[in-house]
Amino acid sequence: MTEIAPDGSPVLLYASLPSLGEARLIHEAVRAGSQILELGAGAGRITHELIGLGHQVAAVDNSAEMLAFIRGAETLLADMETLSLGRRFPVVVLASNFINTPDPQNRRTFLECCARHVLPSGQVLLQGFPRAWAPDTEWSRHGDVRLRLRRYELDGALISGEMQYEVGGHELFHVFESRLLTDGELDADLSAVGLRRRRSLDERGAWTEAVPESRS
Ligand SMILES: C[S@@+](CC[C@H](N)C(=O)[O-])C[C@H]1O[C@@H](n2cnc3c(N)ncnc32)[C@H](O)[C@@H]1O
């Protein structure tokens, strides 16, 4: 099984990668037993741990092959760009560096999706590249997965790279382009969709909590 999601993510990889602490961090930032909308949930790596921590999760992804791995959550096969559920959640999670997408219009579209699905009193939790990102091309192991940044080019704030993975006897590759954002740039994008940055959730500055501008 080596299916690839429409965005180039290898399904086998995300079905095999263990939690890397994301769910615990989310859990500590939200109320007990929250209803969480998780955008780009993949094969449920974060979803399953959030459920184990007592939250209810609605998991959105545009890959049916990814969603097929998810158990115990409402699954929604949809593009974030057009998702309009007509209901709002206390917590919306956009992990996996979606906010670092190089196209500003795409970035805005992802954030609009967060804004139209969060309650006025709610939280949007965003994971991006840490403030002081530095390339690390060493191999690392996470459960049964070995991975490394195989190659990269830096052009100002733009990163073009290729990840290499070894999992279940398969070698997988994922080419990506990302853009490092300053706090000011993120603030401008958030403000454009009616959100504001409230705090960082970790020391590296990879996780940001944003809230509706109207929230006190
Ligand atoms: C890098 S994977 C991360 C999956 C999961 N968040 C995790 O950390 O394990 C990104 C996921 O987002 C999904 N995705 C990418 N673009 C999307 C879009 N525009 N709308 C919905 N899902 C999308 C992909 O299918 C993939 O499952």
Side-chain angles (χ1 to χ4, degrees):
M1 179 191 66
T2 52
E3 290 108 321
I4 303 293
D7 75 339
S9 298
V11 177
L12 174 65
L13 167 71
Y14 285 96
S16 308
L17 255 187
S19 161
L20 303 173
E22 300 92 337
R24 175 61 59 184
L25 181 141
I26 294 166
H27 176 67
E28 283 167 9
V30 305
R31 294 211 172 136
S34 285
Q35 288 194 322
I36 300 177
L37 179 67
E38 187 190 357
L39 300 170
R45 198 174 61 82
I46 300 173
T47 323
H48 292 140
E49 196 178 337
L50 285 173
I51 293 167
L53 290 164
H55 303 285
Q56 287 173 277
V57 183
V60 174
D61 206 284
N62 63 5
S63 160
E65 289 78 15
M66 288 281 193
L67 289 178
F69 284 89
I70 296 188
R71 300 284 176 271
E74 177 184 0
T75 52
L76 300 151
L77 179 62
D79 291 313
M80 272 183 259
E81 290 84 339
T82 50
L83 185 75
S84 186
L85 293 173
R87 57 187 157 124
R88 292 176 181 266
F89 294 75
V91 181
V92 176
V93 172
L94 181 67
S96 307
N97 303 338
F98 278 103
I99 56 167
N100 295 105
T101 185
D103 180 338
Q105 189 50 49
N106 282 351
R107 194 159 60 241
R108 192 66 61 85
T109 306
F110 294 147
L111 290 174
E112 277 167 356
C113 180
C114 297
R116 72 176 168 268
H117 289 101
V118 69
L119 282 171
S121 58
Q123 302 162 274
V124 175
L125 307 185
L126 306 164
Q127 182 193 30
F129 280 73
R131 265 185 223 106
W133 180 81
D136 178 0
T137 52
E138 293 298 309
W139 282 100
S140 61
R141 174 175 282 282
H142 305 282
D144 294 333
V145 177
R146 258 170 48 88
L147 59 86
R148 69 166 174 162
L149 178 61
R150 183 171 181 236
R151 59 175 179 82
Y152 70 92
E153 275 174 39
L154 261 176
D155 178 7
L158 207 64
I159 310 168
S160 312
E162 184 180 29
M163 295 298 299
Q164 181 179 4
Y165 305 97
E166 289 176 4
V167 46
H170 295 273
E171 203 169 43
L172 304 170
F173 299 92
H174 187 188
V175 173
F176 68 92
E177 279 208 339
S178 297
R179 190 179 184 288
L180 299 172
L181 292 180
T182 63
D183 282 350
E185 288 167 331
L186 180 58
D187 285 347
D189 282 335
L190 289 170
S191 170
V193 302
L195 298 172
R196 69 177 161 81
R197 187 158 52 93
R198 190 180 192 214
R199 58 176 171 143
S200 281
L201 299 179
D202 61 338
E203 282 181 5
R204 300 167 64 226
W207 282 88
T208 300
E209 178 191 11
V211 296
E213 273 172 339
S214 54
R215 184 180 148 164
S216 53

